[in-house]
Amino acid sequence: MKVLAITLWVLLFFILTNTKFVVCVGICRENEQQALETLKKQVDDPSNILSSWVVGKDCCEWEGVVCNNLTRHVIVLSIYFDWFESRYLRINNLEWLTSLSSLENLEMESVDLSKANNWPQASGNHFNCRLPKWLLDLNNLEHLVLYGSGIEGVIPSKSGNITKLKHLDLSSNNLNYTIPNWLYQCKDLESLQLGLNRLEGTVSSLISNLSSITIIDLSNNMLSGKLPNVIGKLGKLGYLELSGNLFEGDIYELFNVRSNFLSVPLRNTSSLSTLRLGWNKLTGALPESVGQLSMLEDFSIYNNRLEGVVTESHFSKLTHLQYFYASRNNLTLKVSRNWIPSFQATTMLIGGWNIGPSFPMWLRTQNQIMYVDISDCGIQGEVPTWFWNLSSQIRLLNLSHNHFVGEVPIISTDEQSGSPLMYLASNNFSGPIPLISTNVTELDLSNNSFSKGLSNFLCEPKNGSYKLRILNLGGNDLSEEIPDCWMNWPELKVLILRDNNLIGSLPRSMEVLSNLLSLDLRRNRLNGPFPSSLENCTKLHKIDLAENEFIGKLPSWLGMRFPTLIVLILRSNKFDGELPQELCHLKDLQILDLANNTFVGIIPRCIGNLSSMVKKKKELEDDEDLNYSYYIGVLIESAMVTTKGNMYQYDTILALFTSMDMSSNNLSGDIPISVTRLAGLRSFNLSKNNLTGRIPNDIGVMKVLESVDLSENQLYGQIPQSFSSLTTLSYLNLSENNLSGMIPLSTQLQSFDPMSFQGNKLCGLPLLVNCSSNGNIPNHKYEDGESDKDEVDWFYISMAIGFALSFWGVCGSFFFKRSWRHAYFRFLDRSWEMLLAKLPIC
């Protein structure tokens, strides 16, 4: 595709500039020949992409080089590599480029420029070269393509006399800051492509100066503010891509002038064929004038904040519409039941709209439809038979989160129709699990009322194996044992069977699922030892076997076979024995839940080696591979975590959360000091065990702890003073231990409920038990019902009595005995005279 794109650009250049392919007799300019020969010698070209560049041969005959017929100056230089052929090229120096003074067309698409040592260096990552200002001083430059070339930093705020620029493509780099104003002055500019960068700020109204522009792509940046309505006055504009930014304001601003997006001079037709505004923050109602964009083929308002009613008039002249992306808005579609649209769409994504309760019968007129999303549309009843018959041509079908009933027939798709995705979750479908074609890649039937077993679905004989990668059957009424037919499903990456009534053990054939990334079997009635069939599933990120009836000891290989395991949840089973030391090898583990089993012995001393719980700060990008679906966000990894006394589901922020829960077991010994190395741990629960010893003194270094539960153990000693530095702590339970002494003073600790400290020998707030001078509870026995408010603090009373007795014991003797008083003052006089005698005389 990239090779084709480059070829088309080059052909377009020749057509627009009337340049001939032939060159004059003779060699190109000597200084330019030498410059390109320098590039040839210095370039890192292991794939021999520049093999046609023979030193000494006329450079005008080299591949990718075009010279002017008359002047013999190099006017076109096109260098690229093909990702699909794994060709590779890196340019380490760009000084040679300054010699090509007549260059009009520079294309270096996906060439690695990150090591160009004469460009200013920056941040030290892969993108570490800036766009040099001198490149923009090439007066004859018309076509500049540096797509995906590792450029970062700011687009220069000033340019030279680059008035001839027609095509600029700096997309897929790491450019930041704002769009410079000089770009808006390039009146001959026909194509501006700055997508997939980190540009910010607003789009200036000066964009109206680009009277020749046909293509604008500013997608996937961080641009914000309102969309300038002058964009609609660009009469030649055919492609406008602004999706994936932070634009806000009323969408009507783009259409508030009658002539917007209508071409010049007719003013009654539109040249706009692509308009993409998705993934922004646009508000308001969709203007009816959209229906006048007669040439519109591709229209996206996906994932905005639009509301209001959409009628037939919004589509009145959209006869060319093929792709309509409008899901995730709060729009209402009001059309007649017999409406026949003027278009034949292949893509119709309107999930989240208010369409029901009736099924949209107008879909029957769309003979070319391949991608359909009518999820969460309030539709009720059975799906019409004619619609199921369309499944042979469907590549995406999303009917989830409606109120559909009835059985689902065989999902039969054309084996040549790509890789279909089927989402029917959260409805009231019933009956057996429907059979599917072998080319279906994602199937979500969760949260319905499908019943019976899995044998008919899994064991149906087919010619060849299934290509299914995601299978979600959770939240149904499935029963019986899991059949031993997994050899037919080798491509599976996600298997979710949670919340059913499945029984028995996991079959041996599951060992063929070597591509499995996520396994969720929570809340069934499965039994037997920890499944040995999982030993070959070494790519797993998540294992959730919670709330079943598994028994026995955990195998040592559990900690050795899953180097990328992030979530391990085994709570509420019948596992027993000691925890294997090998658990400490799970370096990527973020969620460890072993609660409510019968584990015995000590907590492994190496527990502090779980390195993913050590990092204090994590980024969401750390776990991008947890988005499993072809469509980002459709199926993201999740985990049910018990923390702060409740159960929560973490999905979109799972990469940021860490938890360790070993509560409700028979663990003994002390809390390992190494646990304090887990500085990134957010939830920590060891309650309801037989732990002894002291709470580690350095627990305060675990700065991001939000929840700590050590209750119902036999811990003793004082609460460490370092607890006072846990400023993020929002849940604490230390009750029913043998702790003693004063509760450390901090804003956090004194704000907790006194129940968090009960059943100990503690004193100080938030308890109503005051502490003695040494931080212990005074020797005062309270009768039941006696109020602490009336308590007398005998420590301070004894201090007062001691002071009074000492004072009067000495001074009282002087008061009543004159001879003692006189003797005492004579002693003071003699002592003073002796002191003065020893002082030096000046």
Side-chain angles (χ1 to χ4, degrees), residues 199-228:
L199 297 172
E200 54 190 39
T202 61
V203 176
S204 171
S205 59
L206 295 174
I207 199 171
S208 61
N209 294 332
L210 304 180
S211 55
S212 300
I213 200 78
T214 61
I215 296 174
I216 296 177
D217 184 355
L218 305 178
S219 63
N220 297 295
N221 281 285
M222 296 184 288
L223 298 169
S224 59
K226 294 183 177 181
L227 294 174

PDB file of all heavy atoms in Angstrom, residues 199-228:
ATOM      1  N   LEU A 199       0.518  17.491  18.180  1.00  0.00           N
ATOM      2  CA  LEU A 199       0.275  18.919  18.028  1.00  0.00           C
ATOM      3  C   LEU A 199      -0.854  19.365  18.940  1.00  0.00           C
ATOM      4  O   LEU A 199      -1.812  18.629  19.182  1.00  0.00           O
ATOM      5  CB  LEU A 199      -0.071  19.232  16.569  1.00  0.00           C
ATOM      6  CG  LEU A 199       1.041  18.928  15.552  1.00  0.00           C
ATOM      7  CD1 LEU A 199       0.516  19.093  14.136  1.00  0.00           C
ATOM      8  CD2 LEU A 199       2.242  19.832  15.788  1.00  0.00           C
ATOM      9  N   GLU A 200      -0.744  20.576  19.459  1.00  0.00           N
ATOM     10  CA  GLU A 200      -1.757  21.092  20.382  1.00  0.00           C
ATOM     11  C   GLU A 200      -2.134  22.510  19.971  1.00  0.00           C
ATOM     12  O   GLU A 200      -1.688  23.020  18.945  1.00  0.00           O
ATOM     13  CB  GLU A 200      -1.225  21.061  21.814  1.00  0.00           C
ATOM     14  CG  GLU A 200       0.099  21.762  22.002  1.00  0.00           C
ATOM     15  CD  GLU A 200       0.712  21.517  23.360  1.00  0.00           C
ATOM     16  OE1 GLU A 200       0.609  20.375  23.864  1.00  0.00           O
ATOM     17  OE2 GLU A 200       1.295  22.465  23.905  1.00  0.00           O
ATOM     18  N   GLY A 201      -2.981  23.140  20.789  1.00  0.00           N
ATOM     19  CA  GLY A 201      -3.443  24.477  20.446  1.00  0.00           C
ATOM     20  C   GLY A 201      -4.670  24.422  19.560  1.00  0.00           C
ATOM     21  O   GLY A 201      -5.325  23.384  19.414  1.00  0.00           O
ATOM     22  N   THR A 202      -5.001  25.543  18.942  1.00  0.00           N
ATOM     23  CA  THR A 202      -6.201  25.652  18.115  1.00  0.00           C
ATOM     24  C   THR A 202      -5.845  25.695  16.640  1.00  0.00           C
ATOM     25  O   THR A 202      -4.690  25.870  16.271  1.00  0.00           O
ATOM     26  CB  THR A 202      -6.994  26.917  18.482  1.00  0.00           C
ATOM     27  OG1 THR A 202      -6.160  28.069  18.233  1.00  0.00           O
ATOM     28  CG2 THR A 202      -7.398  26.909  19.944  1.00  0.00           C
ATOM     29  N   VAL A 203      -6.859  25.517  15.817  1.00  0.00           N
ATOM     30  CA  VAL A 203      -6.710  25.702  14.378  1.00  0.00           C
ATOM     31  C   VAL A 203      -7.111  27.135  14.067  1.00  0.00           C
ATOM     32  O   VAL A 203      -8.250  27.540  14.314  1.00  0.00           O
ATOM     33  CB  VAL A 203      -7.578  24.711  13.591  1.00  0.00           C
ATOM     34  CG1 VAL A 203      -7.480  24.988  12.090  1.00  0.00           C
ATOM     35  CG2 VAL A 203      -7.154  23.281  13.892  1.00  0.00           C
ATOM     36  N   SER A 204      -6.185  27.913  13.522  1.00  0.00           N
ATOM     37  CA  SER A 204      -6.418  29.329  13.280  1.00  0.00           C
ATOM     38  C   SER A 204      -7.431  29.543  12.155  1.00  0.00           C
ATOM     39  O   SER A 204      -7.520  28.759  11.204  1.00  0.00           O
ATOM     40  CB  SER A 204      -5.100  30.019  12.930  1.00  0.00           C
ATOM     41  OG  SER A 204      -5.320  31.343  12.497  1.00  0.00           O
ATOM     42  N   SER A 205      -8.180  30.657  12.265  1.00  0.00           N
ATOM     43  CA  SER A 205      -9.099  31.024  11.187  1.00  0.00           C
ATOM     44  C   SER A 205      -8.353  31.389   9.918  1.00  0.00           C
ATOM     45  O   SER A 205      -8.954  31.486   8.835  1.00  0.00           O
ATOM     46  CB  SER A 205      -9.986  32.191  11.636  1.00  0.00           C
ATOM     47  OG  SER A 205      -9.183  33.313  11.979  1.00  0.00           O
ATOM     48  N   LEU A 206      -7.014  31.568  10.028  1.00  0.00           N
ATOM     49  CA  LEU A 206      -6.207  31.839   8.840  1.00  0.00           C
ATOM     50  C   LEU A 206      -6.200  30.668   7.872  1.00  0.00           C
ATOM     51  O   LEU A 206      -5.735  30.802   6.730  1.00  0.00           O
ATOM     52  CB  LEU A 206      -4.767  32.164   9.255  1.00  0.00           C
ATOM     53  CG  LEU A 206      -4.551  33.448  10.064  1.00  0.00           C
ATOM     54  CD1 LEU A 206      -3.106  33.551  10.524  1.00  0.00           C
ATOM     55  CD2 LEU A 206      -4.941  34.670   9.239  1.00  0.00           C
ATOM     56  N   ILE A 207      -6.722  29.532   8.316  1.00  0.00           N
ATOM     57  CA  ILE A 207      -6.781  28.369   7.422  1.00  0.00           C
ATOM     58  C   ILE A 207      -7.618  28.665   6.191  1.00  0.00           C
ATOM     59  O   ILE A 207      -7.503  28.001   5.161  1.00  0.00           O
ATOM     60  CB  ILE A 207      -7.321  27.137   8.187  1.00  0.00           C
ATOM     61  CG1 ILE A 207      -6.949  25.846   7.453  1.00  0.00           C
ATOM     62  CG2 ILE A 207      -8.825  27.240   8.416  1.00  0.00           C
ATOM     63  CD1 ILE A 207      -7.254  24.580   8.226  1.00  0.00           C
ATOM     64  N   SER A 208      -8.450  29.695   6.262  1.00  0.00           N
ATOM     65  CA  SER A 208      -9.269  30.088   5.109  1.00  0.00           C
ATOM     66  C   SER A 208      -8.420  30.594   3.957  1.00  0.00           C
ATOM     67  O   SER A 208      -8.898  30.702   2.825  1.00  0.00           O
ATOM     68  CB  SER A 208     -10.281  31.167   5.523  1.00  0.00           C
ATOM     69  OG  SER A 208      -9.598  32.324   5.983  1.00  0.00           O
ATOM     70  N   ASN A 209      -7.130  30.930   4.221  1.00  0.00           N
ATOM     71  CA  ASN A 209      -6.234  31.378   3.151  1.00  0.00           C
ATOM     72  C   ASN A 209      -5.848  30.250   2.197  1.00  0.00           C
ATOM     73  O   ASN A 209      -5.362  30.511   1.096  1.00  0.00           O
ATOM     74  CB  ASN A 209      -4.954  31.974   3.743  1.00  0.00           C
ATOM     75  CG  ASN A 209      -5.207  33.258   4.512  1.00  0.00           C
ATOM     76  OD1 ASN A 209      -6.157  33.978   4.208  1.00  0.00           O
ATOM     77  ND2 ASN A 209      -4.367  33.549   5.493  1.00  0.00           N
ATOM     78  N   LEU A 210      -6.030  29.001   2.633  1.00  0.00           N
ATOM     79  CA  LEU A 210      -5.596  27.858   1.819  1.00  0.00           C
ATOM     80  C   LEU A 210      -6.639  27.575   0.737  1.00  0.00           C
ATOM     81  O   LEU A 210      -7.317  26.548   0.736  1.00  0.00           O
ATOM     82  CB  LEU A 210      -5.378  26.635   2.704  1.00  0.00           C
ATOM     83  CG  LEU A 210      -4.394  26.802   3.874  1.00  0.00           C
ATOM     84  CD1 LEU A 210      -4.276  25.510   4.661  1.00  0.00           C
ATOM     85  CD2 LEU A 210      -3.027  27.248   3.366  1.00  0.00           C
ATOM     86  N   SER A 211      -6.736  28.480  -0.195  1.00  0.00           N
ATOM     87  CA  SER A 211      -7.796  28.423  -1.202  1.00  0.00           C
ATOM     88  C   SER A 211      -7.633  27.269  -2.183  1.00  0.00           C
ATOM     89  O   SER A 211      -8.592  26.910  -2.867  1.00  0.00           O
ATOM     90  CB  SER A 211      -7.871  29.742  -1.965  1.00  0.00           C
ATOM     91  OG  SER A 211      -6.598  30.057  -2.530  1.00  0.00           O
ATOM     92  N   SER A 212      -6.431  26.673  -2.242  1.00  0.00           N
ATOM     93  CA  SER A 212      -6.195  25.572  -3.180  1.00  0.00           C
ATOM     94  C   SER A 212      -6.260  24.213  -2.507  1.00  0.00           C
ATOM     95  O   SER A 212      -6.079  23.183  -3.167  1.00  0.00           O
ATOM     96  CB  SER A 212      -4.812  25.738  -3.844  1.00  0.00           C
ATOM     97  OG  SER A 212      -4.725  26.951  -4.550  1.00  0.00           O
ATOM     98  N   ILE A 213      -6.496  24.199  -1.226  1.00  0.00           N
ATOM     99  CA  ILE A 213      -6.395  22.959  -0.460  1.00  0.00           C
ATOM    100  C   ILE A 213      -7.480  21.969  -0.844  1.00  0.00           C
ATOM    101  O   ILE A 213      -8.656  22.334  -1.015  1.00  0.00           O
ATOM    102  CB  ILE A 213      -6.436  23.255   1.059  1.00  0.00           C
ATOM    103  CG1 ILE A 213      -5.846  22.092   1.862  1.00  0.00           C
ATOM    104  CG2 ILE A 213      -7.838  23.588   1.526  1.00  0.00           C
ATOM    105  CD1 ILE A 213      -4.366  22.051   1.865  1.00  0.00           C
ATOM    106  N   THR A 214      -7.094  20.709  -1.005  1.00  0.00           N
ATOM    107  CA  THR A 214      -8.053  19.635  -1.271  1.00  0.00           C
ATOM    108  C   THR A 214      -8.038  18.574  -0.174  1.00  0.00           C
ATOM    109  O   THR A 214      -9.020  17.861   0.014  1.00  0.00           O
ATOM    110  CB  THR A 214      -7.751  18.961  -2.621  1.00  0.00           C
ATOM    111  OG1 THR A 214      -6.440  18.384  -2.583  1.00  0.00           O
ATOM    112  CG2 THR A 214      -7.845  19.962  -3.757  1.00  0.00           C
ATOM    113  N   ILE A 215      -6.913  18.469   0.547  1.00  0.00           N
ATOM    114  CA  ILE A 215      -6.763  17.447   1.589  1.00  0.00           C
ATOM    115  C   ILE A 215      -6.226  18.100   2.865  1.00  0.00           C
ATOM    116  O   ILE A 215      -5.188  18.766   2.829  1.00  0.00           O
ATOM    117  CB  ILE A 215      -5.812  16.325   1.156  1.00  0.00           C
ATOM    118  CG1 ILE A 215      -6.377  15.560  -0.043  1.00  0.00           C
ATOM    119  CG2 ILE A 215      -5.540  15.362   2.319  1.00  0.00           C
ATOM    120  CD1 ILE A 215      -5.418  14.524  -0.608  1.00  0.00           C
ATOM    121  N   ILE A 216      -6.946  17.929   3.975  1.00  0.00           N
ATOM    122  CA  ILE A 216      -6.462  18.352   5.288  1.00  0.00           C
ATOM    123  C   ILE A 216      -6.597  17.163   6.231  1.00  0.00           C
ATOM    124  O   ILE A 216      -7.692  16.627   6.423  1.00  0.00           O
ATOM    125  CB  ILE A 216      -7.266  19.540   5.853  1.00  0.00           C
ATOM    126  CG1 ILE A 216      -7.097  20.775   4.971  1.00  0.00           C
ATOM    127  CG2 ILE A 216      -6.830  19.852   7.284  1.00  0.00           C
ATOM    128  CD1 ILE A 216      -7.915  21.969   5.437  1.00  0.00           C
ATOM    129  N   ASP A 217      -5.489  16.750   6.818  1.00  0.00           N
ATOM    130  CA  ASP A 217      -5.488  15.657   7.799  1.00  0.00           C
ATOM    131  C   ASP A 217      -4.731  16.119   9.039  1.00  0.00           C
ATOM    132  O   ASP A 217      -3.507  16.209   9.031  1.00  0.00           O
ATOM    133  CB  ASP A 217      -4.842  14.404   7.219  1.00  0.00           C
ATOM    134  CG  ASP A 217      -4.902  13.213   8.182  1.00  0.00           C
ATOM    135  OD1 ASP A 217      -5.359  13.410   9.329  1.00  0.00           O
ATOM    136  OD2 ASP A 217      -4.507  12.104   7.788  1.00  0.00           O
ATOM    137  N   LEU A 218      -5.485  16.416  10.098  1.00  0.00           N
ATOM    138  CA  LEU A 218      -4.912  16.827  11.381  1.00  0.00           C
ATOM    139  C   LEU A 218      -5.292  15.828  12.467  1.00  0.00           C
ATOM    140  O   LEU A 218      -5.255  16.150  13.661  1.00  0.00           O
ATOM    141  CB  LEU A 218      -5.407  18.225  11.763  1.00  0.00           C
ATOM    142  CG  LEU A 218      -5.185  19.344  10.739  1.00  0.00           C
ATOM    143  CD1 LEU A 218      -5.785  20.652  11.245  1.00  0.00           C
ATOM    144  CD2 LEU A 218      -3.710  19.522  10.442  1.00  0.00           C
ATOM    145  N   SER A 219      -5.626  14.611  12.097  1.00  0.00           N
ATOM    146  CA  SER A 219      -6.177  13.626  13.028  1.00  0.00           C
ATOM    147  C   SER A 219      -5.163  13.147  14.049  1.00  0.00           C
ATOM    148  O   SER A 219      -3.950  13.242  13.855  1.00  0.00           O
ATOM    149  CB  SER A 219      -6.722  12.431  12.246  1.00  0.00           C
ATOM    150  OG  SER A 219      -5.674  11.791  11.541  1.00  0.00           O
ATOM    151  N   ASN A 220      -5.691  12.645  15.167  1.00  0.00           N
ATOM    152  CA  ASN A 220      -4.882  11.999  16.205  1.00  0.00           C
ATOM    153  C   ASN A 220      -3.749  12.886  16.709  1.00  0.00           C
ATOM    154  O   ASN A 220      -2.588  12.508  16.711  1.00  0.00           O
ATOM    155  CB  ASN A 220      -4.340  10.663  15.703  1.00  0.00           C
ATOM    156  CG  ASN A 220      -5.438   9.675  15.390  1.00  0.00           C
ATOM    157  OD1 ASN A 220      -6.169   9.244  16.262  1.00  0.00           O
ATOM    158  ND2 ASN A 220      -5.596   9.342  14.122  1.00  0.00           N
ATOM    159  N   ASN A 221      -4.134  14.099  17.108  1.00  0.00           N
ATOM    160  CA  ASN A 221      -3.252  15.021  17.790  1.00  0.00           C
ATOM    161  C   ASN A 221      -3.913  15.420  19.095  1.00  0.00           C
ATOM    162  O   ASN A 221      -4.780  14.708  19.598  1.00  0.00           O
ATOM    163  CB  ASN A 221      -2.968  16.241  16.901  1.00  0.00           C
ATOM    164  CG  ASN A 221      -1.930  15.954  15.831  1.00  0.00           C
ATOM    165  OD1 ASN A 221      -0.748  15.865  16.119  1.00  0.00           O
ATOM    166  ND2 ASN A 221      -2.373  15.800  14.586  1.00  0.00           N
ATOM    167  N   MET A 222      -3.527  16.563  19.635  1.00  0.00           N
ATOM    168  CA  MET A 222      -4.158  17.089  20.849  1.00  0.00           C
ATOM    169  C   MET A 222      -4.674  18.501  20.621  1.00  0.00           C
ATOM    170  O   MET A 222      -4.661  19.342  21.494  1.00  0.00           O
ATOM    171  CB  MET A 222      -3.158  17.057  22.010  1.00  0.00           C
ATOM    172  CG  MET A 222      -2.718  15.650  22.393  1.00  0.00           C
ATOM    173  SD  MET A 222      -1.620  15.591  23.825  1.00  0.00           S
ATOM    174  CE  MET A 222      -0.120  16.261  23.099  1.00  0.00           C
ATOM    175  N   LEU A 223      -5.150  18.735  19.403  1.00  0.00           N
ATOM    176  CA  LEU A 223      -5.694  20.035  19.051  1.00  0.00           C
ATOM    177  C   LEU A 223      -7.014  20.253  19.783  1.00  0.00           C
ATOM    178  O   LEU A 223      -7.788  19.316  19.998  1.00  0.00           O
ATOM    179  CB  LEU A 223      -5.904  20.124  17.543  1.00  0.00           C
ATOM    180  CG  LEU A 223      -4.617  19.996  16.710  1.00  0.00           C
ATOM    181  CD1 LEU A 223      -4.954  19.815  15.234  1.00  0.00           C
ATOM    182  CD2 LEU A 223      -3.734  21.220  16.913  1.00  0.00           C
ATOM    183  N   SER A 224      -7.286  21.483  20.161  1.00  0.00           N
ATOM    184  CA  SER A 224      -8.458  21.768  20.989  1.00  0.00           C
ATOM    185  C   SER A 224      -9.147  23.045  20.515  1.00  0.00           C
ATOM    186  O   SER A 224      -8.808  23.617  19.481  1.00  0.00           O
ATOM    187  CB  SER A 224      -8.029  21.899  22.459  1.00  0.00           C
ATOM    188  OG  SER A 224      -7.070  22.933  22.601  1.00  0.00           O
ATOM    189  N   GLY A 225     -10.121  23.485  21.311  1.00  0.00           N
ATOM    190  CA  GLY A 225     -10.863  24.683  20.961  1.00  0.00           C
ATOM    191  C   GLY A 225     -11.990  24.389  19.979  1.00  0.00           C
ATOM    192  O   GLY A 225     -12.279  23.235  19.640  1.00  0.00           O
ATOM    193  N   LYS A 226     -12.627  25.432  19.495  1.00  0.00           N
ATOM    194  CA  LYS A 226     -13.718  25.281  18.545  1.00  0.00           C
ATOM    195  C   LYS A 226     -13.179  25.125  17.133  1.00  0.00           C
ATOM    196  O   LYS A 226     -12.108  25.617  16.804  1.00  0.00           O
ATOM    197  CB  LYS A 226     -14.651  26.488  18.619  1.00  0.00           C
ATOM    198  CG  LYS A 226     -15.398  26.618  19.936  1.00  0.00           C
ATOM    199  CD  LYS A 226     -16.363  27.785  19.904  1.00  0.00           C
ATOM    200  CE  LYS A 226     -17.149  27.866  21.207  1.00  0.00           C
ATOM    201  NZ  LYS A 226     -18.115  28.994  21.198  1.00  0.00           N
ATOM    202  N   LEU A 227     -13.954  24.432  16.315  1.00  0.00           N
ATOM    203  CA  LEU A 227     -13.597  24.303  14.912  1.00  0.00           C
ATOM    204  C   LEU A 227     -13.937  25.607  14.201  1.00  0.00           C
ATOM    205  O   LEU A 227     -15.080  26.063  14.259  1.00  0.00           O
ATOM    206  CB  LEU A 227     -14.362  23.146  14.275  1.00  0.00           C
ATOM    207  CG  LEU A 227     -14.041  21.753  14.786  1.00  0.00           C
ATOM    208  CD1 LEU A 227     -14.999  20.748  14.162  1.00  0.00           C
ATOM    209  CD2 LEU A 227     -12.609  21.381  14.449  1.00  0.00           C
ATOM    210  N   PRO A 228     -12.984  26.239  13.539  1.00  0.00           N
ATOM    211  CA  PRO A 228     -13.295  27.491  12.832  1.00  0.00           C
ATOM    212  C   PRO A 228     -14.245  27.230  11.674  1.00  0.00           C
ATOM    213  O   PRO A 228     -13.992  26.379  10.821  1.00  0.00           O
ATOM    214  CB  PRO A 228     -11.915  27.969  12.345  1.00  0.00           C
ATOM    215  CG  PRO A 228     -11.069  26.750  12.320  1.00  0.00           C
ATOM    216  CD  PRO A 228     -11.571  25.846  13.395  1.00  0.00           C
TER     217      PRO A 228
END
